[in-house]
Amino acid sequence: MVKTWTVGYWPIPFRGNFVKVILEYAGEEYDVMETSEVIQLKTAAVSAQPVPFIGPPFLLHNESGFAISQTAAIVEYLVRKFGFVPESPELAALAQKAVLDCIDVLVEITRHNGNQMWTRDAWSEFRGPGKRLDQCLGVLEELAKRHGLKEEHSTGFFLGTEKMSAADFAVYALFEQLARCMPPLIHDLERAAPRVWKLCQRIGENPKLQAFSNAQSQRWGRSFCSGQIEASIFSMIEQDEKAS
Amino acid sequence: MVKTWTVGYWPIPFRGNFVKVILEYAGEEYDVMETSEVIQLKTAAVSAQPVPFIGPPFLLHNESGFAISQTAAIVEYLVRKFGFVPESPELAALAQKAVLDCIDVLVEITRHNGNQMWTRDAWSEFRGPGKRLDQCLGVLEELAKRHGLKEEHSTGFFLGTEKMSAADFAVYALFEQLARCMPPLIHDLERAAPRVWKLCQRIGENPKLQAFSNAQSQRWGRSFCSGQIEASIFSMIEQDEKAS
């Protein structure tokens, strides 16, 4: 039977998880498109695409035929659909900002989606106390801190909202895969964004998200973004581990 | 007197125009922050920033002290504030997608914000009939086409809405600066996105936007993204012109 939604993405967590964690948390039924079909649609003429797009993820609503691409636009669509948008327009905007900040971390750690491979020199500017990754995580930490998220006795959500917002889904999608696929990075999350990391651990106690996380580990192991750039990141982290 | 808004950005069009064209069109009063202050805030500790951010643009609401960064989040905030969001959640999401698609064009033409300079080999894969830039523009063209935008007797807006949406502001912000700062690219806009280019020309007849465009030309000439990468792009286009 056709499910409500279909997610088109590569067989990795990465950007796809920003969409999938919302569907999982909301208890929505969705199919994941076969990779061969994703490739076929990505390379098809724009007129043959369900929504004109350059790269996945994209999301299809199977009954209506509605389709949408661009991770942050899909996230915003789903949080509005499922009632996870803060009432205050200011908080709603900050939630979106946090989503974009999280996606930027994916872009930076993969050197713009594998555009360049890591060298030790470049990596040493990226990872380490006060370096670029810490700065990116620190921006998230500071935003949550200003909205009342505590480091000790952690309760509540990223922007101090009553329930999850796009910001919570996004930091969870990001931190969960960083920690699971590259466990040494947990040290970095704890150092640069302790509040947000504790929040993510709390969010991850949700049974649906826990099952989703386990299923990804079983299917894909520690695969994060795949390709040469994944090997490059993993090799940098391995060298860091040996040196420490 | 302090104006309603302050925009923090570099003295170039680029991402800043995505924010400014909405403020201009809506007739809002805003100040542009001195570059020295933008630099100071960008390099400040996150705790000292008006909103924690990695890079500009950012927008301040001076009376309330509210601040927001991330171009697409600022755009969404402003279009909601000023009533430019389509009623249908699907169209609202597609408008956001178009904003993100437009920002991606800025990222691609600057090789990820100047991360690498252009070589002839790379540029020949980027510019030309059916190449990457055409594909990016073609995605916008196809989306508008599906929502009824015509090539001949152009009327109406990008998504067939009653008034401007974020999609219209974004394509205008992108196409206007590409055409004004790099006039040979008009040929590419006409080839790959004739409907959207005509729409942008119509939008540009708005007296406020016309005045804004003229003011930028007078102040900054053809400066687009500045820096070495601007020189690299301009040199590629100049070589294309000589060869044609």
Side-chain angles (χ1 to χ4, degrees), chain B residues 1-67:
Chain B
M1 214 192 83
V2 175
K3 296 190 176 149
T4 313
W5 307 95
T6 299
V7 177
Y9 198 59
W10 310 123
I12 49 172
F14 213 57
R15 284 183 174 81
N17 272 20
F18 283 70
V19 176
K20 291 174 186 169
V21 297
I22 304 176
L23 293 170
E24 292 286 343
Y25 188 90
E28 291 287 307
E29 301 262 297
Y30 67 99
D31 275 320
V32 174
M33 193 177 273
E34 289 293 329
T35 303
S36 58
E37 201 182 341
V38 176
I39 293 171
Q40 185 260 313
L41 286 176
K42 180 175 156 43
T43 52
V46 284
S47 58
Q49 293 177 330
V51 60
F53 73 96
I54 292 291
F58 50 87
L59 176 74
L60 315 179
H61 184 257
N62 290 311
E63 196 180 309
S64 67
F66 173 69

Side-chain angles (χ1 to χ4, degrees), chain A residues 3-231:
Chain A
K3 294 187 177 154
T4 313
W5 307 95
T6 299
V7 177
Y9 197 60
W10 310 124
I12 49 172
F14 213 56
R15 285 184 173 80
N17 273 20
F18 283 70
V19 175
K20 290 174 187 169
V21 297
I22 305 177
L23 293 170
E24 293 285 344
Y25 188 91
E28 291 287 304
E29 302 261 297
Y30 67 98
D31 276 321
V32 174
M33 193 177 273
E34 290 293 332
T35 303
S36 57
E37 202 181 339
V38 176
I39 294 171
Q40 185 259 311
L41 286 176
K42 180 175 155 42
T43 51
V46 284
S47 58
Q49 293 177 331
V51 60
F53 73 97
I54 292 290
F58 49 87
L59 175 75
L60 315 178
H61 184 257
N62 290 310
E63 196 179 310
S64 67
F66 173 69
I68 174 91
S69 69
Q70 282 282 8
T71 311
I74 306 172
V75 165
E76 183 67 9
Y77 176 68
L78 291 178
V79 292
R80 290 208 175 261
K81 189 113 187 151
F82 302 143
F84 293 114
V85 181
E87 269 183 46
S88 141
E90 284 71 29
L91 290 181
L94 288 172
Q96 277 208 296
K97 169 203 156 31
V99 173
L100 293 160
D101 285 342
C102 288
I103 295 171
D104 282 351
V105 176
L106 296 185
V107 173
E108 299 235 355
I109 199 171
T110 57
R111 299 200 89 184
H112 307 278
N113 310 313
N115 206 40
Q116 287 177 282
M117 297 301 116
W118 285 105
T119 61
R120 282 311 303 176
D121 275 358
W123 184 256
S124 71
E125 293 304 312
F126 179 71
R127 187 185 181 205
K131 300 292 174 69
R132 182 79 177 179
L133 177 58
D134 272 21
Q135 288 168 16
C136 293
L137 297 170
V139 158
L140 292 163
E141 180 76 358
E142 174 69 16
L143 187 60
K145 183 180 170 189
R146 292 191 194 180
H147 290 85
L149 192 67
K150 300 267 185 294
E151 195 172 335
E152 301 301 322
H153 310 293
S154 178
T155 56
F157 293 112
F158 190 97
L159 292 170
T161 51
E162 291 284 307
K163 50 181 175 172
M164 299 274 281
S165 77
D168 300 278
F169 287 115
V171 292
Y172 175 73
L174 175 65
F175 283 43
E176 189 274 338
Q177 63 179 297
L178 292 180
R180 183 167 54 77
C181 304
M182 296 163 283
L185 291 187
I186 293 172
H187 184 64
D188 306 66
L189 303 179
E190 282 171 344
R191 177 181 61 229
R195 286 169 179 79
V196 180
W197 173 230
K198 278 190 185 160
L199 166 67
C200 292
Q201 289 174 287
R202 277 195 289 118
I203 294 172
E205 287 165 11
N206 174 289
K208 291 176 203 156
L209 294 180
Q210 210 158 56
F212 175 66
S213 173
N214 292 337
Q216 286 207 334
S217 286
Q218 278 164 32
R219 183 173 309 159
W220 299 326
R222 290 192 169 162
S223 181
F224 164 61
C225 58
S226 78
Q228 282 186 293
I229 185 62
E230 176 175 289

Side-chain angles (χ1 to χ4, degrees), chain B residues 134-149:
Chain B
D134 273 21
Q135 289 168 18
C136 294
L137 298 171
V139 157
L140 292 163
E141 179 76 358
E142 174 68 16
L143 187 60
K145 183 181 169 188
R146 290 190 194 181
H147 290 85
L149 192 66

Side-chain angles (χ1 to χ4, degrees), chain B:
Chain B
M1 214 192 83
V2 175
K3 296 190 176 149
T4 313
W5 307 95
T6 299
V7 177
Y9 198 59
W10 310 123
I12 49 172
F14 213 57
R15 284 183 174 81
N17 272 20
F18 283 70
V19 176
K20 291 174 186 169
V21 297
I22 304 176
L23 293 170
E24 292 286 343
Y25 188 90
E28 291 287 307
E29 301 262 297
Y30 67 99
D31 275 320
V32 174
M33 193 177 273
E34 289 293 329
T35 303
S36 58
E37 201 182 341
V38 176
I39 293 171
Q40 185 260 313
L41 286 176
K42 180 175 156 43
T43 52
V46 284
S47 58
Q49 293 177 330
V51 60
F53 73 96
I54 292 291
F58 50 87
L59 176 74
L60 315 179
H61 184 257
N62 290 311
E63 196 180 309
S64 67
F66 173 69
I68 174 91
S69 70
Q70 283 282 8
T71 311
I74 305 172
V75 165
E76 184 67 9
Y77 176 68
L78 291 177
V79 292
R80 291 207 174 262
K81 190 110 188 152
F82 302 144
F84 293 114
V85 181
E87 270 184 45
S88 142
E90 285 71 29
L91 289 182
L94 288 172
Q96 276 209 296
K97 169 203 155 32
V99 173
L100 294 160
D101 285 342
C102 287
I103 294 171
D104 282 352
V105 175
L106 296 185
V107 173
E108 298 234 355
I109 199 171
T110 56
R111 299 200 89 184
H112 307 278
N113 311 314
N115 206 40
Q116 288 178 282
M117 295 302 116
W118 285 106
T119 61
R120 282 312 301 176
D121 274 0
W123 184 256
S124 71
E125 292 304 312
F126 179 72
R127 187 185 180 206
K131 299 294 173 69
R132 182 78 176 180
L133 178 59
D134 273 21
Q135 289 168 18
C136 294
L137 298 171
V139 157
L140 292 163
E141 179 76 358
E142 174 68 16
L143 187 60
K145 183 181 169 188
R146 290 190 194 181
H147 290 85
L149 192 66
K150 300 268 184 295
E151 197 173 334
E152 301 300 324
H153 309 294
S154 177
T155 57
F157 293 113
F158 190 96
L159 291 169
T161 51
E162 292 284 307
K163 51 181 175 172
M164 298 274 282
S165 77
D168 299 278
F169 287 114
V171 292
Y172 176 73
L174 174 65
F175 282 44
E176 188 275 337
Q177 63 180 294
L178 293 179
R180 183 167 52 78
C181 304
M182 296 162 282
L185 291 187
I186 293 172
H187 184 63
D188 306 67
L189 303 178
E190 282 171 344
R191 176 180 62 227
R195 285 171 180 78
V196 180
W197 173 229
K198 278 190 185 163
L199 166 67
C200 293
Q201 290 173 286
R202 276 195 289 118
I203 294 171
E205 288 165 11
N206 174 290
K208 291 176 203 155
L209 295 181
Q210 210 158 55
F212 176 66
S213 173
N214 292 338
Q216 287 207 333
S217 285
Q218 278 164 32
R219 183 171 311 158
W220 299 327
R222 291 193 168 161
S223 181
F224 164 62
C225 58
S226 78
Q228 281 186 294
I229 185 60
E230 176 175 289
S232 178
I233 299 167
F234 286 11
S235 127
M236 290 295 141
I237 293 174
E238 202 182 310
Q239 288 169 36
D240 290 346
E241 290 300 290
K242 281 188 187 148
S244 70

